[in-house]
Amino acid sequence: MDLSRLDEYLDSADLDGYLLDADSTDPSQYYLSGFDAPDPFVTLYTPAQTAILTSPLEYARAKTESRADAVRRLGDYDYREKRAEHGREQARSMVLAEFLAEFDVTAVGTNRRFPLFTADSLRDRQVTVQADPDDVIEEIRATKTEQELAHIREAQSANEAAMEAAEAMIADAEVGSDGDLQLDGEVLTSERVKATIERTLLDRGFALDDTIVASGQTGANPHDSGSGPIGVDEPIIVDIFPQSKTTKYHADMTRTFLKGEPTAEVADFYETTKRAKAAALETVEAGVTGADVHDAVCDVYENAGYPTLREDESTETGFIHGTGHGVGLAVHEQPQISPDGGELEAGQVITIEPGLYDPAVGGVRIEDLVVVTEDGYENLTDYSETLVV
Amino acid sequence: MDLSRLDEYLDSADLDGYLLDADSTDPSQYYLSGFDAPDPFVTLYTPAQTAILTSPLEYARAKTESRADAVRRLGDYDYREKRAEHGREQARSMVLAEFLAEFDVTAVGTNRRFPLFTADSLRDRQVTVQADPDDVIEEIRATKTEQELAHIREAQSANEAAMEAAEAMIADAEVGSDGDLQLDGEVLTSERVKATIERTLLDRGFALDDTIVASGQTGANPHDSGSGPIGVDEPIIVDIFPQSKTTKYHADMTRTFLKGEPTAEVADFYETTKRAKAAALETVEAGVTGADVHDAVCDVYENAGYPTLREDESTETGFIHGTGHGVGLAVHEQPQISPDGGELEAGQVITIEPGLYDPAVGGVRIEDLVVVTEDGYENLTDYSETLVV
């Protein structure tokens, strides 16, 4: 874990430390503190040391499990007396100010989403609090260590097992009398496929975020997770993004399957999306911007006559999302592979996930997970691209 | 959904509206917007209407699925041109300021955890932003409607099914040669019991937060979720808090089981905790404070000679957490049943979960989920209290 960028930020912004106030579902909190706790706690980073301020309940665990050099609890600053005199919220901010003072900190940087109430109550106590517009910890998190890469590879192989189980259900399905797909004598629904995906991941120790199994009309909406019967001759988007319960790292992959005969439009959606993904991967290497990679996708789609948000920011059909995003402790993190995307660095883990959407046709998306390298990328995804199964 | 308290807050604080900037995993955001989205979006509440500002990707869905009267997207305020000229972050806050201006809002209240960067960039644009110290939306959420109660009852019955499955595994286990419990010829571990709990909930459409199955030493730490073999003659804390994938509402229940012979200390932990829970429930009714209910638990424990945080805020054994908390869209929400707990109101759903912890003895906790009524409570928990199974 290389925090030199954090030191540089503090130095350049003339700040004594970096402050987080969140529970460990905030990936930056978990990353900086190394402490997994369900309720909000405070982490103070200074170039000299990392300190945690927590409730009595978490005190013992924080001492043994976190990466902090120092652990304090509310009671270390007479919280109870302060609460009796000033009330809970005031007492908490008084304690926090004393905690900062103990570590000679009078000016802190914070992440963008630092809680406003905490910031204002520190400012009331003459502490300088400045939200870091670049979220330097998110920047640091974007570049993975070898150990983080190992965690993500492990997540991706569990993801591939879940995708195989989903593909098998669709491939084994048969066309029922009413045109719906049937498996084992029952209608094949998005819910059934999702349940199989979830069980496959659960058995491997992965938590179940939402999973997308969306066909027909629902598949045409990139954020509809899908529901109801899966139709024959319709593209089925399967997008899986599991998180390891042990390491908390994610993987992310999408494939689109179809049982039956694709229409000419769907077949062209799929072939063009394959080309768009290949063009994006061609572009990926350290030094190229996420915007460049996104442009490569837009070029392919626009040349093929499909609308994109680049061409028309109000379009609701065609390529209507970014090309990808970083993946790690968060399933969506830096860097962005979009018009806002800056320079890629070796060791960043990103998705490449072009797609086309049209309520009249359906939706198609293909997504790989790759690591950026100095001269290109390594694809962490080992899964075939086949529409008709 | 009765938002009159929100209107009163805005009126008394002389604010035009209430602003949230979060994804729908923030329960107040989901509650106020009625919109389930994985990425942060903005909700503006005014007594006249509710408006959402979202990305183009979510625009169509927000129009159909949210409870907002008006939905806007970044593109409605020339986001692209602004971004080209001023960069992403500045462009976003310029758009947000124009969004507020469109609804004649120049002064907003926010929740305590509103993102600092958003607040400061609005203040730079002469918008008054004030963090509401009382988090009025959390207050409103604490009192449940009949529909919300129905969602929580449904979650609790799924929770009871999961608890039964866990209890059955422990009851059916046998003592192996090395003193570990065995089931079906394999060591019974916390992991195995958790997997059964998770499958039972998954089959009923409930998401899997962390689950606690903690025995022996791990059971003595209230926040250790447990791991490894489960020993004979040891108390096993099983704490389950599922969330419905459909309604997003939670349930919460804890039982402590033991296979074999409890020590005298464990037996007394259990009996005293039963009495502490009964004393707390005796106290519960509208108008009583959460602090009163918590004191009833502390009285029982202290009279029985056990340390409590009330008596000694630095104790690491005995009763070392609060008595309970509200349950709803969040598994921990208002009201608090602790020294900080204010007056209870009819319709609030709370846990009552006293417990005793000592590394030399183990941990015992018993938790029910109840609804506060005008003259007492209704217990939503239908599950026996038996230590030895």
Side-chain angles (χ1 to χ4, degrees), chain A residues 21 58 113 199 203 223, chain B residues 21 58 113 199 203 223:
Chain A
D21 173 0
E58 296 286 20
R113 300 194 68 84
R199 289 173 167 288
D203 292 346
H223 269 208
Chain B
D21 173 359
E58 296 286 21
R113 300 194 67 84
R199 288 173 169 290
D203 291 346
H223 269 207

Side-chain angles (χ1 to χ4, degrees), chain A residues 4-72:
Chain A
S4 53
R5 283 192 196 189
L6 180 51
D7 295 342
E8 289 159 21
Y9 161 71
L10 295 175
D11 186 52
S12 64
D14 195 21
L15 299 167
D16 309 318
Y18 202 88
L19 195 67
L20 294 176
D21 173 0
D23 64 43
S24 58
T25 60
D26 177 326
S28 291
Q29 176 65 292
Y30 182 69
Y31 188 86
L32 194 64
S33 67
F35 186 47
D36 187 11
D39 299 317
F41 61 97
V42 167
T43 302
L44 170 66
Y45 171 88
T46 72
Q49 64 193 324
T50 302
I52 284 178
L53 175 66
T54 182
S55 68
L57 182 61
E58 296 286 20
Y59 181 65
R61 216 164 53 80
K63 280 190 296 186
T64 56
E65 297 178 14
S66 81
R67 55 170 292 280
D69 307 294
V71 178
R72 300 288 183 267

Side-chain angles (χ1 to χ4, degrees), chain A residues 271-286 288-301 319 321-325 337-338 344 350-355 366-372 375-379 385:
Chain A
E271 288 311 309
T272 311
T273 297
K274 271 173 73 172
R275 285 195 289 116
K277 198 191 90 191
L281 288 173
E282 264 309 298
T283 318
V284 171
E285 67 180 330
V288 168
T289 69
D292 296 334
V293 177
H294 180 69
D295 282 332
V297 169
C298 294
D299 291 343
V300 170
Y301 280 141
F319 179 49
H321 54 67
T323 290
H325 53 82
I337 313 301
S338 75
L344 298 177
I350 60 173
T351 69
I352 299 294
E353 51 183 303
I366 310 174
E367 173 183 28
D368 283 357
L369 186 66
V370 310
V371 193
V372 178
D375 55 2
Y377 66 93
E378 177 197 352
N379 199 325
E385 286 171 25

Side-chain angles (χ1 to χ4, degrees), chain A residues 52-113:
Chain A
I52 284 178
L53 175 66
T54 182
S55 68
L57 182 61
E58 296 286 20
Y59 181 65
R61 216 164 53 80
K63 280 190 296 186
T64 56
E65 297 178 14
S66 81
R67 55 170 292 280
D69 307 294
V71 178
R72 300 288 183 267
R73 55 189 148 184
L74 298 175
D76 295 331
Y77 306 96
D78 305 318
Y79 171 63
R80 180 173 312 208
E81 293 75 356
K82 290 181 169 69
R83 191 184 64 202
E85 191 173 346
H86 305 281
R88 181 167 185 271
E89 294 307 333
Q90 285 304 312
R92 283 183 168 270
S93 57
M94 292 167 84
V95 163
L96 181 51
E98 289 184 24
F99 169 75
L100 294 178
E102 179 186 345
F103 296 97
D104 303 317
V105 169
T106 60
V108 293
T110 72
N111 55 340
R112 278 202 300 264
R113 300 194 68 84

Side-chain angles (χ1 to χ4, degrees), chain B residues 292-329:
Chain B
D292 297 332
V293 178
H294 180 69
D295 282 332
V297 169
C298 294
D299 291 343
V300 170
Y301 281 139
E302 288 167 15
N303 292 337
Y306 291 110
T308 70
L309 285 176
R310 181 177 73 172
E311 221 175 35
D312 168 13
E313 67 180 311
S314 69
T315 183
E316 290 178 22
T317 65
F319 179 47
I320 51 177
H321 54 66
T323 291
H325 52 83
V327 174
L329 287 171

Side-chain angles (χ1 to χ4, degrees), chain B residues 199-232:
Chain B
R199 288 173 169 290
T200 307
L201 290 170
L202 185 60
D203 291 346
R204 287 164 173 74
F206 286 78
L208 305 153
D209 281 326
D210 194 13
T211 299
I212 297 176
V213 178
S215 68
Q217 289 292 323
T218 62
N221 178 342
H223 269 207
D224 190 322
S225 70
S227 58
I230 294 172
V232 67

Side-chain angles (χ1 to χ4, degrees), chain B residues 100-124:
Chain B
L100 294 178
E102 179 186 344
F103 295 96
D104 303 317
V105 168
T106 59
V108 293
T110 72
N111 56 340
R112 280 203 300 266
R113 300 194 67 84
F114 188 84
L116 176 62
F117 184 83
T118 308
D120 282 348
S121 46
L122 283 175
R123 288 166 172 172
D124 292 343

Side-chain angles (χ1 to χ4, degrees), chain A residues 14-235:
Chain A
D14 195 21
L15 299 167
D16 309 318
Y18 202 88
L19 195 67
L20 294 176
D21 173 0
D23 64 43
S24 58
T25 60
D26 177 326
S28 291
Q29 176 65 292
Y30 182 69
Y31 188 86
L32 194 64
S33 67
F35 186 47
D36 187 11
D39 299 317
F41 61 97
V42 167
T43 302
L44 170 66
Y45 171 88
T46 72
Q49 64 193 324
T50 302
I52 284 178
L53 175 66
T54 182
S55 68
L57 182 61
E58 296 286 20
Y59 181 65
R61 216 164 53 80
K63 280 190 296 186
T64 56
E65 297 178 14
S66 81
R67 55 170 292 280
D69 307 294
V71 178
R72 300 288 183 267
R73 55 189 148 184
L74 298 175
D76 295 331
Y77 306 96
D78 305 318
Y79 171 63
R80 180 173 312 208
E81 293 75 356
K82 290 181 169 69
R83 191 184 64 202
E85 191 173 346
H86 305 281
R88 181 167 185 271
E89 294 307 333
Q90 285 304 312
R92 283 183 168 270
S93 57
M94 292 167 84
V95 163
L96 181 51
E98 289 184 24
F99 169 75
L100 294 178
E102 179 186 345
F103 296 97
D104 303 317
V105 169
T106 60
V108 293
T110 72
N111 55 340
R112 278 202 300 264
R113 300 194 68 84
F114 188 84
L116 176 62
F117 184 83
T118 309
D120 282 347
S121 46
L122 283 174
R123 287 166 172 173
D124 292 342
R125 296 184 161 73
Q126 285 66 55
V127 175
T128 299
V129 182
Q130 173 185 305
D132 166 18
D134 300 324
D135 242 320
V136 60
I137 296 181
E138 274 188 42
E139 281 181 18
I140 294 168
R141 280 170 39 214
T143 304
K144 272 59 179 181
T145 64
E146 278 309 316
Q147 188 192 33
E148 289 179 293
L149 285 176
H151 295 332
I152 294 169
R153 288 177 207 276
E154 180 192 52
Q156 184 67 352
S157 68
N159 203 353
E160 287 160 7
M163 187 66 76
E164 279 164 17
E167 179 178 354
M169 287 181 83
I170 298 165
D172 296 347
E174 288 163 359
V175 182
S177 50
D178 55 3
D180 280 341
L181 290 179
Q182 307 243 339
L183 185 64
D184 307 330
E186 288 181 17
V187 174
L188 184 65
T189 60
S190 289
E191 291 79 358
R192 283 180 72 189
V193 178
K194 287 182 191 183
T196 298
I197 290 167
E198 292 174 332
R199 289 173 167 288
T200 308
L201 291 169
L202 185 60
D203 292 346
R204 287 165 172 74
F206 286 78
L208 304 154
D209 280 326
D210 194 14
T211 299
I212 297 175
V213 179
S215 67
Q217 289 291 323
T218 64
N221 178 341
H223 269 208
D224 189 323
S225 69
S227 59
I230 294 172
V232 68
D233 303 334
E234 284 182 351

